[in-house]
Amino acid sequence: AFILSLVVGILTCLLYARMIQIMPGRHIYAMAEYALGKVPGKIVSVFFTFYAFISLMLTMFSYSGFVHLTSLHQTDFFIIIFLYFAAILYLAKGGIKTMSKWCAALLFAWIVLTVVYTVIPMPKIDINHLLPIFNHTPRDILTSTMTLPILPDGQIVLALCIANHFSTC
């Protein structure tokens, strides 16, 4: 299911890339107005704006909750949220080039940490914990395939808000 959901996620990213290629220099709001017309495009833009705020809120609370529970027990929860929000404001004020530089640095750090945390426990891996394989019905696998990429695909589509800047980078 995880591998199939990666395929679905890649196909979704290719769809987004095609939208940017077909309508260069436009962000998601301009794309909605172009594709749907002025009034329906504005309605879709309002819903998309609400989705962006809800997604930002859920992401900030998830990350802040994780940091609060795992390492900063004594720190007030809202101070952690404020620090995340300050970082978001810094990146938004810095522009698309600042965001791309930070994303490249964090992607490199994420890859290094993933490799390190995968290699370190290798001697203790017991392959029997992965068994039984194919113990689920095809319906269960397809259901999991469609539910796994919902949040990442929804957050990737938020990148279409700044799609009008992609050609300048």
Side-chain angles (χ1 to χ4, degrees):
F2 181 72
I3 294 170
L4 289 175
S5 68
L6 284 175
V7 170
V8 170
I10 289 170
L11 292 175
T12 306
C13 287
L14 289 175
L15 173 75
Y16 297 154
R18 181 70 178 148
M19 286 173 58
I20 293 170
Q21 186 180 22
I22 290 173
M23 299 177 258
R26 293 188 177 151
H27 48 73
I28 188 69
Y29 305 109
M31 288 179 192
E33 281 188 30
Y34 177 76
L36 302 173
K38 191 140 182 102
V39 174
K42 295 279 186 194
I43 293 170
V44 168
S45 294
V46 167
F47 283 118
F48 189 74
T49 302
F50 283 130
Y51 171 73
F53 283 125
I54 290 169
S55 178
L56 174 67
M57 180 185 65
L58 290 174
T59 303
M60 283 180 55
F61 275 105
S62 296
Y63 290 166
S64 300
F66 177 76
V67 169
H68 182 70
L69 290 174
T70 58
S71 57
L72 299 176
H73 307 292
Q74 303 299 322
T75 307
D76 189 25
F77 184 70
F78 291 104
I79 292 174
I80 299 169
I81 290 176
F82 174 76
L83 292 174
Y84 273 116
F85 194 67
I88 291 169
L89 288 178
Y90 167 74
L91 290 174
K93 184 157 176 48
I96 189 76
K97 292 191 186 266
T98 305
M99 281 191 241
S100 63
K101 289 176 185 176
W102 274 98
C103 285
L106 291 176
L107 178 64
F108 177 74
W110 179 77
I111 289 171
V112 168
L113 287 175
T114 302
V115 168
V116 167
Y117 287 136
T118 303
V119 170
I120 287 175
M122 284 271 188
K124 295 183 180 182
I125 292 178
D126 184 8
I127 198 71
N128 293 324
H129 292 300
L130 297 176
L131 299 175
I133 298 176
F134 299 121
N135 196 22
H136 300 283
T137 65
R139 183 172 186 219
D140 292 339
I141 293 172
L142 287 176
T143 302
S144 296
T145 297
M146 293 317 213
T147 56
L148 278 173
I150 286 175
L151 186 62
D153 285 347
Q155 290 182 345
I156 289 171
V157 79
L158 292 177
L160 292 176
C161 291
I162 56 172
N164 56 335
H165 295 289
F166 287 163
S167 62
T168 60
C169 292

